[in-house]
Amino acid sequence: CFSVGIMIIFSMIQIFSPLTYYQILSFTPKARSDLNFTGWSSGFGVKEAADFVRALAQKKKSIVFISNHSGNPEDGIYVFLKKDPNVIVMGDVNYPYLIKFKDQHTNLINTTDFYFISRGNQFGILKDALIPLAQFKKPFDEEFVGLYKVKID
């Protein structure tokens, strides 16, 4: 009876508060090393950034540039937006590439918005071409996922 009660309690915690369940698990030495709710790999803010872009793309087609890193937010953004017909996700972009892209695709400039999703303040060469739109903070540290509009002059 006692073990059934414990199983019910843990099941309810998993259903209604999975984060609490994983925090409870983090007290066990083996599970602690597998759980990481801080930094880039946490995934916090990735879905929110993708939803923000998806909402913007309903008005005007969008191209989202991401860095060429593995992990979040880049991989998560690709997964969340890959099937959206109004959004194209492109990786490893720098400003000279954007100028070349503009010259080759002048018809896209007036019909498409360009965005960049960053790991915190990692902007690379695009730094001077970004207009901040939103930041999605991670709850357990100072990191964030940034969303920026790219100005292509």
Side-chain angles (χ1 to χ4, degrees):
C1 187
F2 177 74
S3 40
V4 171
I6 294 293
M7 287 176 23
I8 291 172
I9 288 171
F10 276 108
S11 296
M12 297 304 276
I13 290 172
Q14 283 180 331
I15 292 169
F16 295 107
S17 183
L19 182 58
T20 302
Y21 176 75
Y22 287 112
Q23 287 172 335
I24 291 168
L25 281 181
S26 70
F27 290 113
T28 62
K30 186 175 182 180
R32 185 180 307 128
S33 64
D34 293 337
L35 301 172
N36 185 9
F37 293 113
T38 61
W40 301 119
S41 60
S42 69
F44 287 106
V46 176
K47 182 177 184 318
E48 292 82 357
D51 288 344
F52 199 100
V53 169
R54 195 176 288 119
L56 293 170
Q58 297 305 312
K59 299 174 189 166
K60 196 173 184 183
K61 289 206 180 273
S62 300
I63 294 178
V64 176
F65 299 114
I66 55 176
S67 297
N68 195 22
H69 294 105
S70 62
N72 284 317
E74 295 82 14
D75 291 341
I77 290 298
Y78 178 75
V79 168
F80 282 118
L81 295 177
K82 72 178 182 178
K83 291 189 178 181
D84 191 314
N86 295 324
V87 180
I88 298 170
V89 179
M90 298 177 71
D92 203 17
V93 172
N94 57 44
Y95 198 71
Y97 173 83
L98 288 179
I99 299 302
K100 183 178 176 183
F101 184 87
K102 175 188 170 190
D103 293 341
Q104 292 174 348
H105 303 283
T106 53
N107 59 326
L108 286 179
I109 301 303
N110 295 328
T111 61
T112 308
D113 282 331
F114 299 88
Y115 300 101
F116 177 73
I117 294 180
S118 73
R119 291 180 171 198
N121 58 3
Q122 296 180 21
F123 308 122
I125 295 176
L126 288 179
K127 181 179 181 182
D128 296 330
L130 301 177
I131 302 167
L133 295 179
Q135 285 186 353
F136 304 96
K137 300 233 181 244
K138 300 190 179 258
F140 300 113
D141 57 27
E142 296 300 315
E143 302 295 347
F144 63 91
V145 174
L147 175 62
Y148 304 86
K149 185 165 183 152
V150 179
K151 59 181 176 179
I152 302 179
D153 299 324

